[in-house]
Amino acid sequence: MQFYDGQQCTSKNAPPRDYSLETSHLSRLFSAFTSISIIAAIFGNGILPEIQATLAPPATGKMLKGLMLCYSVILVTFYSASVSGYWVFGNKSNSNILKSLMPDEGPSLAPTWVLGLAIVFILLQLFAIGLVYSQVAYEIMEKNSADANKAVFSLRNLIPRIILRTLYMTLCGFFAAMLPFFGDINGVVGAVGFIPLDFILPMLLYNITFKPKKSSITFWVNTSIMVIFSCAGLLGSFSSIRKLVLDANKFKLFSSDVVD
């Protein structure tokens, strides 16, 4: 419970909820495939700990443990926030939960400690993203800048590493602030990157590596998955890029309003 200018902030201060869908059937179809692409991008995060777990044997057990841990965290965090957010705010729910909880007009819809905790967790997530997702870029930069004959934490290697990583993260932050297309970009990344990586490539590599008989159930299950998700990826790419184009008229450089 919170007070704002002497006004008690309870659920009665929340905006009216509207769960209605788009009137056009075609728009609903495009939105559905955009949503599938965004979900693929969220669950696709598991591919990174899965790959990293294979760096040291035994790979199978650790890969499964890393994947299950990642999916469990996603279900508890992402899904609880998305389901409760849609239940509270309806179709006006913002992709940035803080924008929904702190409307431009009226009192905040959550206690100050909840908002502060949310900001702390956002920062922790960004730190994790910077460490995990950027490892490939770090490896490329440090391969060309480091001296293999020196120790890892020697000044010769440490100073260039700090400078290059700082410049890289600053550049990433600059473009993230300049292009506030959070939901749209997630959809494009999910359709173009994670759907092929998670649902098409593994089945293809399995068929190539183990060569199951074309009359076997395994072969046709894998082939069916590849065909279905190839279509989903193509439609998801089209719908995500379409939404990106439609939202272009709302776009402003370095705007504090994230385009959903």
Side-chain angles (χ1 to χ4, degrees):
M1 186 177 296
Q2 187 180 9
F3 290 86
Y4 181 87
D5 290 341
Q7 180 184 5
Q8 183 175 324
C9 180
T10 63
S11 59
K12 290 183 287 187
N13 298 120
R17 287 173 284 186
D18 182 9
Y19 299 114
S20 61
L21 301 176
E22 296 164 295
T23 55
S24 170
H25 291 289
L26 187 61
S27 296
R28 290 185 192 180
L29 181 65
F30 285 138
S31 296
F33 279 102
T34 301
S35 300
I36 290 172
S37 301
I38 293 173
I39 293 172
I42 293 171
F43 275 96
N45 292 327
I47 199 70
L48 294 172
E50 180 183 351
I51 292 172
Q52 289 184 343
T54 63
L55 296 179
T60 307
K62 292 191 296 181
M63 179 175 66
L64 182 60
K65 288 179 181 179
L67 199 60
M68 296 306 295
L69 175 62
C70 183
Y71 283 175
S72 300
V73 171
I74 288 172
L75 284 172
V76 172
T77 55
F78 284 87
Y79 266 73
S80 61
S82 60
V83 171
S84 60
Y86 184 75
W87 174 71
V88 172
F89 299 104
N91 56 21
K92 300 299 181 184
S93 179
N94 198 294
S95 60
N96 184 348
I97 188 64
L98 294 179
K99 293 288 290 183
S100 295
L101 294 174
M102 294 187 293
D104 295 330
E105 298 179 359
S108 298
L109 303 178
T112 303
W113 69 268
V114 172
L115 299 175
L117 192 63
I119 293 173
V120 170
F121 280 122
I122 289 172
L123 291 175
L124 290 175
Q125 184 187 26
L126 291 175
F127 289 143
I129 290 171
L131 288 171
V132 176
Y133 281 79
S134 302
Q135 284 302 319
V136 176
Y138 294 159
E139 180 69 23
I140 294 172
M141 290 188 296
E142 291 167 17
K143 184 178 180 180
N144 297 319
S145 64
D147 187 350
N149 297 320
K150 301 287 184 178
V152 175
F153 293 104
S154 64
L155 291 178
R156 166 64 184 81
N157 291 330
L158 185 61
I159 293 176
R161 185 184 306 126
I162 293 173
I163 293 174
L164 289 173
R165 292 192 180 196
T166 301
L167 290 175
Y168 176 79
M169 293 307 299
T170 301
L171 188 64
C172 290
F174 175 82
F175 280 106
M178 185 176 70
L179 305 171
F181 281 120
F182 184 72
D184 297 353
I185 291 296
N186 262 347
V188 173
V189 170
V192 176
F194 284 112
I195 287 181
L197 189 63
D198 285 355
F199 299 104
I200 300 173
L201 189 61
M203 310 305 164
L204 178 63
L205 293 178
Y206 184 94
N207 282 353
I208 292 175
T209 303
F210 295 101
K211 296 180 175 61
K213 295 181 179 179
K214 292 185 178 180
S215 58
S216 66
I217 296 177
T218 302
F219 176 84
W220 285 108
V221 168
N222 288 344
T223 303
S224 299
I225 291 174
M226 285 190 287
V227 171
I228 291 170
F229 281 97
S230 294
C231 296
L234 289 172
L235 290 171
S237 301
F238 179 81
S239 59
S240 301
I241 294 172
R242 170 184 173 273
K243 191 173 187 301
L244 195 62
V245 172
L246 292 176
D247 288 341
N249 61 339
K250 305 176 186 176
F251 172 68
K252 293 180 181 178
L253 289 175
F254 301 103
S255 173
S256 59
D257 294 324
V258 177
V259 179
D260 290 324

